[in-house]
């Protein structure tokens, strides 16, 4: 009886991430290197049981609330980093003055600015330039670019072991050492335009969008394998950003062509609903309180606010005179939503309480995946700051 109880506790601990499986170095099954001996676990069985019994509902964003900035990130300059895709440059905005305070060149077609897993570096994804340009968040200044194939987007596994370079035009997800960026495994994907993703709670799999083929992928991160391909239930779809609900029961996928977001059950990998938001739904940003999802409707010049609890649009904000809100982040205190204006060469600062446009800041040509830094959270999963 005691052995059976112990086994059950160990299984639950693995599912919750208390005990982690080592990641593999190839396609072979992982080794169990981090599980303690049963004799070491037995004295803590009752403690674990009590903690599990009193555990509240899962909240992936519980560590991302206002004021929860880590010691590492707290030392960084407060800045908004804007990659100008058509300008091969980055503009740096002071969020206190709403003015550009720095400007520097980078490699060709910068797409996103991505915080590293350990929060010590920001990377500019120079897509056509085939480089990553590091930025020191303590100074806001760029370092020496280094070669990486086709970095359209960049993510990090939950354990911080791998960087996942989203090589869109090469139809690959490249798993690289998160610190040296040495290639570990190049995973070819059976779709066109792979570009955005989000992780399951324990990081065992990701769901990724494929922009040009209207499909979603489910990828086993531990074994570097595509385990599912799902076509969206619309004749023409252009899926974009992907974000999980706090309880991980629904993954939201923005669809540029459908004008809204698809709701996907990640466990069954099945589309279960659709929420209309507006023309050109593109970027998804989780609110600082973890209760709402901001959807940037790029072709309509608006932002829709979805309640995670009701899975309905609870507010809609229009940019005066129109605009092209694209990708972005929320300020560390949650009061300002920062979005790039893709076709207007501006960055929008929007009051998250009222939806009022605070500022429209001129930047370079075709601003894309801007990053607000620092942000609350224990570690970064990549993109422009998907924090947990």
């Amino acid at each position: 009886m005691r052995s059976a109880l112990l086994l059950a506790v160990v299984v639950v601990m693995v599912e919750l991430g208390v005990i982690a499986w080592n990641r593999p170095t190839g396609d072979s099954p992982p080794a169990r290197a981090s599980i303690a001996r049963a004799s070491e676990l037995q004295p803590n069985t009752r403690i674990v049981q009590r903690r599990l019994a009193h555990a509240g509902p899962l909240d992936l964003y519980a560590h991302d609330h206002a004021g929860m900035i880590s010691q590492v990130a707290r030392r960084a300059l407060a800045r908004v980093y804007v990659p100008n895709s058509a300008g091969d440059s980055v503009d740096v905005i002071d969020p206190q003055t709403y003015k550009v305070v720095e400007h520097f060149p980078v490699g060709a077609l910068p797409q996103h600015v991505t915080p590293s897993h350990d929060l010590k570096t920001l990377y500019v994804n120079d897509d056509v330039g085939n480089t990553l340009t590091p930025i020191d968040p303590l100074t806001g200044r760029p370092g020496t670019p280094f070669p990486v194939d086709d970095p359209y987007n960049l993510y990090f596994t939950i354990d911080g072991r791998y960087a996942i370079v989203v090589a869109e035009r090469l139809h690959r997800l490249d798993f690289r050492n998160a610190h040296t960026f040495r290639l570990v495994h190049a995973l070819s994907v059976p779709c066109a335009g792979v570009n955005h993703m989000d992780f399951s709670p324990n990081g065992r799999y990701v769901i990724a969008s494929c922009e040009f083929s209207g499909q979603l992928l489910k990828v086993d991160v531990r074994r570097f394998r595509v385990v599912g391909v799902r076509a969206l239930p619309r004749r023409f779809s252009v899926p974009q950003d992907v974000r999980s609900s706090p309880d991980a029961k629904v993954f939201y996928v923005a669809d540029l062509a459908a004008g809204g977001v698809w709701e996907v059950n990640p466990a069954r990998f099945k589309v279960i609903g659709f929420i209309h938001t507006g023309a050109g739904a593109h970027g998804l940003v989780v609110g600082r309180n973890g209760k709402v999802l901001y959807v940037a409707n790029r072709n309509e010049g608006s932002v829709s606010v979805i309640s995670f609890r009701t899975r309905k649009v609870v507010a809609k904000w229009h940019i005066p005179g129109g605009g092209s809100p694209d990708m972005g982040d929320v300020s560390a205190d949650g009061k300002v939503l920062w979005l790039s204006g893709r076709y207007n060469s501006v960055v929008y600062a929007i009051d998250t309480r009222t939806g009022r446009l605070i500022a429209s800041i001129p930047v370079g040509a075709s601003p894309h995946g801007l990053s607000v830094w620092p942000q609350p959270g224990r570690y970064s999963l990549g993109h422009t700051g998907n924090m947990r």
Side-chain angles (χ1 to χ4, degrees), residues 98 336-339 347-351 356-361:
Y98 300 100
V336 181
L337 173 64
W338 293 87
L339 295 171
V347 166
Y348 308 112
I350 300 170
D351 188 317
R356 179 180 65 88
L357 181 65
I358 301 170
S360 182
I361 305 158

Side-chain angles (χ1 to χ4, degrees), residues 269-291:
F269 196 39
K270 182 179 180 180
V271 176
I272 58 174
F274 179 79
I275 303 172
H276 180 76
T277 60
H282 185 72
L284 303 178
V285 181
V286 176
R288 187 58 61 211
N289 61 9
K291 295 181 179 179

